[in-house]
Amino acid sequence: MTVISVRHALTLAAAAVLTAGCGLADELDREADPERTGAHAATSKPPVTGVPPLAETPPPATPEGCPAGGVTVSTGMVSAAMGLRAMTVTLTNCGVPEQLLNGYPDVRVRDVDRERMDVTVLKGPGPITTLDDPGPHPVTLKRGESAYSVFVWRYSAVDAATRRGSGVYVEIGPTAGADRRTVEPEGGLDIGETGLLGTTAWQKKAAD
């Protein structure tokens, strides 16, 4: 009769287990803890797979002051000369990965009571004045980049006491149908109750 050592027997048992499809780690657990008390499991380290789990990358934080749409709108000082007015409007992408523009801003003008004024918003500066207008063209703003448009109008009668005829609140959107941001230009737009407001197409602002 062939005599098999205990060590050899254990080796053969482990091989048989592997052949049957059971895990070697489970078999070794049974050898170390035949009563299945869990004492060994409490001190054992989990099997190492060799591939650590991928950490989830949090989305980029929206800068403070950015609305849900990810853009802000600001206005520059109003320039006046012989009744002609001009004002630069700047749109900045501060939240979304990319903001796409192609054309003119979407504009609504409201009076001191926030009632919409009967102002005709033109795509282009004519016939108000002669001003370079790039016309519609694709503009892509990455986060932190800006585009600008120039608003032009002619002075019309404004009641200084009641501010009637003044565009106190101006709602500006990047494109037609997009959410508009409300700005209050310093001094308002002295455009009158039935004025014309010319705009130039969005163009990318050079980096500072």
Side-chain angles (χ1 to χ4, degrees):
M1 182 176 65
T2 302
V3 178
I4 303 175
S5 68
V6 173
R7 178 174 297 180
H8 189 199
L10 288 176
T11 303
L12 292 176
V17 169
L18 287 175
T19 304
C22 294
L24 177 59
D26 292 340
E27 179 61 20
L28 294 178
D29 276 347
R30 283 194 291 272
E31 290 292 335
D33 187 15
E35 299 299 327
R36 313 303 293 169
T37 62
H40 177 69
T43 58
S44 297
K45 294 183 180 180
V48 178
T49 63
V51 181
L54 295 176
E56 294 186 3
T57 303
T62 299
E64 185 177 355
C66 272
V71 299
T72 58
V73 175
S74 60
T75 57
M77 295 182 61
V78 176
S79 299
M82 300 295 292
L84 176 64
R85 308 289 193 255
M87 178 182 72
T88 300
V89 174
T90 302
L91 180 145
T92 301
N93 174 16
C94 61
V96 296
E98 287 188 345
Q99 173 69 51
L100 304 179
L101 305 172
N102 191 350
Y104 297 86
D106 185 43
V107 184
R108 301 287 186 275
V109 182
R110 298 185 181 275
D111 63 18
V112 66
D113 298 321
R114 295 187 180 272
E115 295 294 330
R116 185 171 174 180
M117 296 176 63
D118 187 16
V119 172
T120 301
V121 180
L122 306 171
K123 293 182 178 181
I128 299 170
T129 188
T130 301
L131 184 69
D132 289 339
D133 178 15
H137 63 285
V139 175
T140 301
L141 300 180
K142 295 182 179 180
R143 188 179 287 110
E145 295 182 331
S146 301
Y148 70 94
S149 170
V150 180
F151 288 15
V152 293
W153 67 96
R154 293 281 178 180
Y155 168 79
S156 187
V158 173
D159 189 320
T162 64
R163 302 183 73 182
R164 292 296 176 190
S166 177
V168 177
Y169 304 100
V170 185
E171 300 172 350
I172 303 171
T175 59
D179 291 340
R180 292 187 291 272
R181 312 295 181 217
T182 300
V183 294
E184 300 179 45
E186 186 175 354
L189 308 187
D190 49 2
I191 201 167
E193 295 288 351
T194 56
L196 296 177
L197 177 64
T199 64
T200 64
W202 293 115
Q203 53 190 312
K204 196 165 187 177
K205 185 178 180 181
D208 294 333

